Amino acid sequence: MENSLRMQPGSAGNIVYNKLKQQIVSLELPPGTTLSEKEMSLAFDVSRTPVRESFVRLAQEGLVLVLPQRGTRVSLIDPELVEEARFMREQLEKAVISLACESFPEDKLAELEANLAQQKESIERHDGKQMFELDEAFHRILFEGCRKQGTWNVIQQMNAHLNRSRMLWLSADPHWGHLYEQHRVMADAIRRHDSDYAERVMQEHLSLIISNLTVLKEKHPDYFKI
């Protein structure tokens, strides 16, 4: 981990929280991993207080379980919460891409195009972590272009279990061309102001993780809540 976080900007608690969340979502810290305040404070070179505060914030998001007398561990992926987050995203993202088809700033269209170019590069390099980050960024740009950043922030509060499932799927299936193609046609639909087509593709796009969830549970039964 980091040699020291004390010289970095921002509070130690925020830095530790962001680093741990990134490691959990990326599966660097897999579901079920035991987390020690002492070990984390040494690894991040901070006192136990910011580590403890980070555990509380992560517990509120459902990413860790703080068990009295038994310590703290990374939570298992809850399929019901995966489905609930997907449902919320489907409703909101279909609405947002419909708005985008009505009116979308040229600078944000340029950001989508740059993002798509980077997606192609990550596919060529088989970089699952970057593909995940670019996938998230593509959707975030849609919300920003429609001036719905607050709505995107709300989505992030429920996204933890869904995002870990998506990361697991990306690592298990190296064939990501279909993700790129769906993003590509969504961007094209926005340029054509074709909201019906854009909404349909968005729904298909967000249903992929649910259609693959059974396979993921069979391959990684220890990662999922029964």
Side-chain angles (χ1 to χ4, degrees):
M1 291 189 187
E2 311 301 317
N3 292 328
S4 176
L5 299 179
R6 290 176 180 161
M7 300 304 293
Q8 297 187 27
S11 73
N14 283 335
I15 294 170
V16 173
Y17 160 78
N18 287 323
K19 291 287 184 180
L20 283 175
K21 182 171 182 178
Q22 181 185 54
Q23 290 169 353
I24 292 170
V25 172
S26 69
L27 304 177
E28 185 178 338
L29 291 173
T33 301
T34 299
L35 302 176
S36 163
E37 279 186 16
K38 180 179 179 180
E39 291 177 2
M40 289 297 164
S41 65
L42 290 172
F44 288 114
D45 193 17
V46 296
S47 69
R48 291 196 184 192
T49 299
V51 174
R52 191 177 303 118
E53 292 172 351
S54 299
F55 284 176
V56 171
R57 291 175 66 183
L58 292 166
Q60 291 171 343
E61 295 184 31
L63 284 173
V64 306
L65 295 174
V66 180
L67 306 171
Q69 312 302 322
R70 295 169 56 191
T72 302
R73 71 166 187 244
V74 178
S75 66
L76 300 180
I77 300 171
D78 188 332
E80 290 189 6
L81 294 179
V82 172
E83 163 55 24
E84 187 173 358
R86 183 214 58 81
F87 173 81
M88 179 181 67
R89 285 194 65 161
E90 179 182 312
Q91 305 311 308
L92 294 174
E93 297 213 36
K94 284 170 63 180
V96 162
I97 202 166
S98 179
L99 288 175
C101 287
E102 294 177 12
S103 176
F104 202 70
E106 282 296 327
D107 62 324
K108 290 298 178 182
L109 276 171
E111 286 187 37
L112 290 181
E113 291 298 330
N115 177 282
L116 287 165
Q118 290 179 295
Q119 285 186 41
K120 288 190 75 172
E121 293 174 1
S122 69
I123 290 172
E124 291 170 0
R125 293 197 305 269
H126 303 289
D127 189 337
K129 183 178 179 181
Q130 186 184 46
M131 187 64 186
F132 172 83
E133 292 171 353
L134 290 168
D135 188 338
E136 280 290 279
F138 182 92
H139 292 263
R140 187 188 69 246
I141 293 166
L142 295 178
F143 281 79
E144 290 173 348
C146 295
R147 303 179 68 180
K148 295 291 184 287
Q149 181 66 47
T151 306
W152 175 257
N153 293 337
V154 170
I155 286 175
Q156 298 314 297
Q157 296 173 17
M158 287 188 63
N159 238 2
H161 291 262
L162 176 62
N163 279 347
R164 287 193 292 168
S165 297
R166 289 170 57 211
M167 192 67 217
L168 189 61
W169 174 42
L170 284 171
S171 63
D173 180 5
H175 306 294
W176 311 320
H178 56 296
L179 295 178
Y180 167 81
E181 290 301 330
Q182 287 178 328
H183 289 144
R184 170 82 269 164
V185 297
M186 280 190 268
D188 291 343
I190 290 171
R191 288 191 179 277
R192 297 195 313 272
H193 306 288
D194 189 345
S195 60
D196 289 341
Y197 186 53
E199 284 186 47
R200 186 164 68 251
V201 175
M202 179 66 79
Q203 183 172 359
E204 293 172 358
H205 180 69
L206 293 173
S207 69
L208 285 174
I209 186 59
I210 295 302
S211 63
N212 288 283
L213 197 58
T214 299
V215 174
L216 292 177
K217 288 164 65 177
E218 290 175 355
K219 287 185 176 181
H220 306 276
D222 294 340
Y223 282 7
F224 288 86
K225 181 178 179 181
I226 298 175

